[in-house]
Amino acid sequence: MTRLRSSVVMCLAAVLLLAGCAAPDPQLARDEAQAVFGELVARTAAEDAAVVRALQTADPTEQSCGTEDERTQTALTATATLSITTTDADTRRIRDGLADTLEPEEWTAIHSSGPQQVARISDRDVVVALTADGPALVIAVFTPCIAP
């Protein structure tokens, strides 16, 4: 009976691991965040120069995941300044076009902070938030909380 129980526990553990219930690999999550951020910035930079006037990336920032938690989260951000003649519809078109480049098999829509924002989460818990705010478009990519 003990062997059977041990076998069942081992099989269940293997199934859970294979089903993706294990924590994402920290380096893979960092690599994915960097890659998707680079792609979103490149696509934004490729927009019409009459629409996207400037694109500025910030240095990556580390944020604590909690007051008593040693884990940190990395935030990668970029801001595109759009022409003052750009309409809200144009800004949303660019934002939605960027969101559409994220493969639905790998990226799941999540609740955003409002109608001006589109957010997705990957299988590795990387989060992308695209925010259209007046004549600005903010690209933000966050890694999951990762131990140092």
Side-chain angles (χ1 to χ4, degrees):
M1 190 66 154
T2 303
R3 276 191 200 167
L4 179 60
R5 185 176 299 150
S6 295
S7 296
V8 169
V9 169
M10 292 302 290
C11 287
L12 181 58
V15 167
L16 289 175
L17 183 63
L18 292 174
C21 293
D25 180 285
Q27 190 57 49
L28 290 176
R30 285 185 192 102
D31 292 348
E32 179 181 54
Q34 195 68 17
V36 74
F37 180 73
E39 182 179 330
L40 293 171
V41 168
R43 287 180 182 272
T44 304
E47 286 286 331
D48 184 354
V51 176
V52 176
R53 299 304 221 163
L55 179 61
Q56 184 175 10
T57 59
D59 290 334
T61 57
E62 294 289 322
Q63 305 172 54
S64 175
C65 291
T67 56
E68 295 184 22
D69 195 345
E70 291 183 17
R71 299 176 309 152
T72 60
Q73 176 183 56
T74 303
L76 306 165
T77 58
T79 303
T81 304
L82 307 180
S83 169
I84 59 169
T85 60
T86 302
T87 65
D88 287 344
D90 291 332
T91 307
R92 285 191 307 273
R93 178 191 55 78
I94 295 169
R95 178 203 62 200
D96 294 345
L98 291 173
D100 289 346
T101 65
L102 301 172
E103 295 292 328
E105 297 82 29
E106 297 173 28
W107 295 88
T108 304
I110 57 175
H111 181 72
S112 59
S113 65
Q116 73 280 8
Q117 187 177 72
V118 173
R120 305 276 190 274
I121 189 168
S122 76
D123 297 338
R124 292 189 180 95
D125 295 337
V126 172
V127 173
V128 170
L130 304 168
T131 308
D133 188 14
L137 175 70
V138 178
I139 300 167
V141 178
F142 304 93
T143 65
C145 290
I146 299 171

